[in-house]
Amino acid sequence: MKKTAVPILVAMIASLMAVPASWAAVQAQTPAELSSQCQAAVKKNPNNDTGKLCQEGIDLQKQGKNDEAVAKMKQGLAAAKGHKK
């Protein structure tokens, strides 16, 4: 039983350690990255909501309010996805 339990336990621990790292990689977007994604989205699909929200995010970024800027730019990108032609 110990011969089987140890490899299973090691595999479980390794997989649990890898999951948070992958989540962090997906969610770690800087305001600069989001800004460039917003600009590309506005060029691809000029939508008033997208442009407005992204510009508000860029303005917040310039004021040093990065958390608010990220949230606003993500809203703009979501608006772009919702209005694709």
Side-chain angles (χ1 to χ4, degrees):
M1 173 128 166
K2 286 185 179 180
K3 290 182 181 181
T4 309
V6 172
I8 291 173
L9 184 61
V10 170
M12 283 178 37
I13 291 171
S15 66
L16 290 175
M17 292 176 71
V19 169
S22 65
W23 286 343
V26 170
Q27 295 189 6
Q29 293 181 316
T30 64
E33 291 171 343
L34 289 170
S35 176
S36 63
Q37 289 176 10
C38 275
Q39 291 170 355
V42 170
K43 285 179 185 176
K44 205 179 243 188
N45 184 12
N47 172 345
N48 289 339
D49 292 337
T50 301
K52 178 183 166 198
L53 291 168
C54 285
Q55 188 57 50
E56 287 177 19
I58 291 168
D59 292 341
L60 287 167
Q61 178 190 5
K62 289 178 183 175
Q63 296 171 11
K65 300 176 181 178
N66 289 334
D67 292 338
E68 294 173 39
V70 167
K72 195 62 78 168
M73 286 187 263
K74 284 184 178 182
Q75 288 176 355
L77 290 169
K81 289 179 183 177
H83 289 93
K84 286 187 177 177
K85 293 180 180 177

